[in-house]
Amino acid sequence: MSLRQMEFVLKIAEYRSFTKAANKLKITQPSLSHAILSLEENLGLTLFERTTPIKLTRAGEIYVSKAKLITDLYDDLNSELQDISGKKTGEIRIGFSTNGYMILSDVLPKFCRRFPSVNIKIEQTRSLAKIRQMILDNEIDIGLFISPIEADEFEIEVIKTEKMYVALCLAHELSQKYKSCGMHPKISLNELKNENFILQKSTQRTRAQIDEVFKKAGFEPNIICETEIFDIAISMAASGAGAYFCLQSYIKNDILDQIMLFDIDEPSLDKTTMVAYKKGKKLSKLAKEFIQIAKEW
């Protein structure tokens, strides 16, 4: 049995399909089928029931559980040997969902300057669940999340916690009213009762939290736009189209000069950025260095 064969079996077990696994492995489906048949002949056991979807036999379940342990140990071995060598080379695999891109845009350039010979692989998905699964399947080393996340299977390191503000253009009457009250004047959400709002899409987790805040305030917002694209939303707010809930770190300097951020004193909207990795996994020196640089963000 080879590590490559184990990788084949693990992918088929994950996707419950020879075709999907072959696409992920970037090989042809007949080649994958032949490799599994050859492995099963050598073992004298059947690993998969050829149903739709594919199912593991009892032997297959045992094979998959042990193969995961072996591949994890192999990854740990490579990491430790790389650390001992002291070379600033190697590979780091980072995954993030939609909310993680801002920290990467700041942290990656610093990391690359410190480790110019490192191969960096980035995986982006809109699904938090997908990033979680990629960590568990060892497809990525670390994942960037906005809290909360179920931590039973993960080690979590907090990067920073940020307050959620409401952005209005500088020409807005409230911006003019509070312009001498400091950087982030406190207001009641009810002062925005008659305002237009640009909000996150209803499918986003943050939107559900914002909806609860409106419910607590006792009014329904006048929503003129729903978008998951931050740059569009904050540009609309800067133009005077409406109010937008956002984190200050996500705002580019040229836009920051065109808006005022208001503190509505709602801790439930605060966001914690964190790094997660598989519980029990030995992080490489590169991964540790990345986390340290991220904490300086």
Side-chain angles (χ1 to χ4, degrees), residues 136-285:
L136 294 176
D137 292 340
N138 286 315
E139 293 183 13
I140 55 176
D141 302 307
I142 56 178
L144 288 167
F145 296 94
I146 299 293
S147 65
I149 177 177
E150 297 173 7
D152 291 347
E153 298 170 297
F154 301 95
E155 300 287 352
I156 302 293
E157 296 200 33
V158 173
I159 302 303
K160 67 190 289 189
T161 297
E162 297 182 82
K163 181 179 283 291
M164 181 80 78
Y165 296 105
V166 174
L168 291 171
C169 72
L170 282 180
H172 193 281
E173 60 180 353
L174 286 177
S175 299
Q176 295 299 309
K177 178 180 177 181
Y178 290 102
K179 65 182 179 181
S180 60
C181 297
M183 186 176 291
H184 303 131
K186 283 193 175 184
I187 63 171
S188 164
L189 185 59
N190 277 289
E191 291 188 66
L192 301 170
K193 194 169 186 177
N194 298 318
E195 184 61 48
N196 294 327
F197 281 89
I198 304 122
L199 296 183
Q200 290 79 357
K201 294 185 77 170
S202 60
T203 52
Q204 293 177 268
R205 184 173 49 182
T206 296
R207 174 61 184 277
Q209 296 167 327
I210 291 172
D211 287 346
E212 284 298 315
V213 170
F214 281 120
K215 188 181 294 184
K216 189 168 74 172
F219 72 93
E220 291 188 11
N222 180 34
I223 304 168
I224 62 164
C225 178
E226 293 178 293
T227 178
E228 59 186 22
I229 303 174
F230 172 80
D231 290 337
I232 290 175
I234 196 63
S235 293
M236 289 181 68
S239 74
Y244 178 61
F245 290 84
C246 62
L247 304 177
Q248 182 172 336
S249 64
Y250 281 27
I251 305 172
K252 296 175 182 177
N253 288 335
D254 59 334
I255 294 291
L256 197 57
D257 294 337
Q258 302 174 43
I259 59 172
M260 180 172 280
L261 298 177
F262 291 87
D263 180 0
I264 61 167
D265 194 22
E266 189 52 66
S268 67
L269 295 180
D270 292 354
K271 298 296 179 184
T272 298
T273 302
M274 54 183 63
V275 169
Y277 52 93
K278 191 174 181 179
K279 187 162 284 188
K281 179 181 177 67
K282 181 175 174 59
L283 281 183
S284 67
K285 184 177 180 181

Side-chain angles (χ1 to χ4, degrees), residues 34 55 83 100 118 124 129 139 153 169 220 289:
H34 177 75
K55 293 180 181 179
D83 290 349
V118 168
Q124 180 182 9
E139 293 183 13
E153 298 170 297
C169 72
E220 291 188 11
E289 289 281 357

Side-chain angles (χ1 to χ4, degrees), residues 71-81 280-283:
T71 53
D72 284 352
L73 283 171
Y74 181 76
D75 289 342
D76 286 347
L77 172 63
N78 279 332
S79 292
E80 291 198 36
L81 291 177
K281 179 181 177 67
K282 181 175 174 59
L283 281 183

Side-chain angles (χ1 to χ4, degrees), residues 40-72:
E40 289 176 326
E41 287 175 6
N42 289 336
L43 294 172
L45 294 165
T46 300
L47 300 178
F48 297 101
E49 293 180 14
R50 270 64 170 182
T51 56
T52 304
I54 295 287
K55 293 180 181 179
L56 288 167
T57 63
R58 177 58 183 152
E61 290 173 352
I62 294 171
Y63 187 100
V64 165
S65 67
K66 301 304 180 185
K68 284 181 178 178
L69 292 174
I70 292 169
T71 53
D72 284 352

